[in-house]
Amino acid sequence: MPRSPAEPPAPEPDPAARNAAGNAVQDRTRRADRRLGVRLLLAIGAGAAAAVPFGLLLLLVEGAWPPLLRLDAGAARRLHEVALEHPGWTATLRFLSDWLWDPATLRIAVALLTGWLLYRRAWRLAAWAATTAIGGALTGVLVKVVVERARPSLQDPVARAPGYSFPSGHAMTATTSCAVLLLVLLPLVPRRWRGLCWVAAGISVLGVGFTRIALGVHWFSDVIGGWLLGGAVVVLTGWAFEAWRSDAGRPRTDVSEGLEPELTDEEPEPPRAYGTESGSRDR
């Protein structure tokens, strides 16, 4: 309603109070950023040391548990027979493993995504993506060197791969890379298509593991280990990012919305937006 002439004018906001509030928000954001960096590093370390299912599998591999060895050998033998009998099928698997789902291809995709996030000024989300991808790769290499498990040795091999076997680097890279691409880009996808994105990511991760076993370059347990360790890295770095959002005053997110639903905004991480609830989005 229009104000009557008798009403006194509304008081002007105090500039000093407004500046003090803005400075408090910026201080809170800076503290949250510092904690984010520390938590991302801690998450990578925890992903390598405290992934319980992966640790149990590692003990079984190192202890040469007979049931696990029989499972590995049986899967390798049966799939190798199929690969020898169907060269066209084997050529398709080799293309998928060496090109479409190759770790270099997936890492380039994540690097391009990280560059785009920096262009969009989504600094913290870019840091999460880079840390998850690079930290996961370094963790996988470290575990391979420590375990020193030999790859399958088959007669008439249809493919070869260098280095040690456990965990599968292909499987681990597929897990971390697909998770990064999915959790970053989900806010940009209409809701009705998000289920297909989850299915595509799942098929890619499972497909990578299957190709490595079918081509005879990894044991079944190598692939399971890559999935578990990669999943642990994603969960822990995701926890670090969510903790930063809480410290910065941003609302909690659901995994179906991606890590940063504000990515669709003109400024995903404006310096003075923290401490205020973002409005609901209907995409």
Side-chain angles (χ1 to χ4, degrees):
M1 287 181 67
R3 192 172 57 241
S4 65
E7 290 184 31
E12 292 292 331
D14 185 2
R18 187 169 62 247
N19 290 336
N23 291 336
V25 170
Q26 289 183 332
D27 289 342
R28 181 177 185 179
T29 302
R30 282 193 290 268
R31 289 195 299 270
D33 288 344
R34 287 193 293 269
R35 294 192 190 107
L36 173 62
V38 173
R39 283 169 173 151
L40 285 173
L41 293 176
L42 290 176
I44 291 298
V52 175
F54 174 80
L56 293 175
L57 179 62
L58 177 59
L59 289 176
L60 297 178
V61 169
E62 287 283 77
W65 190 48
L68 182 61
L69 296 182
R70 287 195 295 270
L71 175 63
D72 280 341
R77 183 182 64 255
R78 287 191 292 271
L79 289 174
H80 185 59
E81 291 172 355
V82 174
L84 290 175
E85 294 172 0
H86 301 86
W89 168 248
T90 302
T92 301
L93 295 181
R94 192 179 293 115
F95 168 77
L96 292 172
S97 180
D98 295 344
W99 294 98
L100 182 62
W101 290 328
D102 184 74
T105 302
L106 295 174
R107 288 167 185 157
I108 289 172
V110 172
L112 291 174
L113 176 67
T114 303
W116 177 76
L117 290 174
L118 293 174
Y119 172 76
R120 293 277 289 112
R121 299 180 181 274
W123 313 112
R124 291 88 176 177
L125 193 58
W128 173 81
T131 301
T132 302
I134 297 172
L138 295 177
T139 300
V141 170
L142 175 62
V143 176
K144 277 178 180 286
V145 172
V146 171
V147 177
E148 294 185 340
R149 189 186 197 188
R151 292 181 182 271
S153 179
L154 303 169
Q155 288 186 345
D156 301 321
V158 297
R160 299 183 183 277
Y164 296 117
S165 190
F166 183 89
S168 167
H170 276 68
M172 186 170 180
T173 301
T175 302
T176 55
S177 299
C178 289
V180 167
L181 294 169
L182 183 69
L183 294 176
V184 168
L185 296 176
L186 269 181
L188 306 178
V189 179
R191 290 182 183 276
R192 63 182 178 277
W193 299 111
R194 290 180 184 176
L196 290 178
C197 293
W198 283 97
V199 171
I203 290 175
S204 296
V205 172
L206 294 175
V208 168
F210 176 78
T211 62
R212 302 309 283 171
I213 303 170
L215 291 173
V217 293
H218 274 297
W219 303 107
F220 175 77
S221 54
D222 296 338
V223 170
I224 298 298
W227 287 339
L228 291 175
L229 189 56
V233 169
V234 171
V235 168
L236 290 166
T237 58
W239 162 81
F241 189 84
E242 187 63 33
W244 163 76
R245 287 181 62 88
S246 178
D247 286 346
R250 285 203 153 183
R252 295 187 63 85
T253 59
D254 187 87
V255 69
S256 64
E257 300 289 330
L259 280 185
E260 191 164 71
E262 298 85 357
L263 191 60
T264 56
D265 296 346
E266 185 176 349
E267 290 184 275
E269 297 177 7
R272 295 206 173 201
Y274 307 118
T276 60
E277 294 280 331
S278 298
S280 61
R281 292 169 171 79
D282 185 15
R283 302 182 186 88

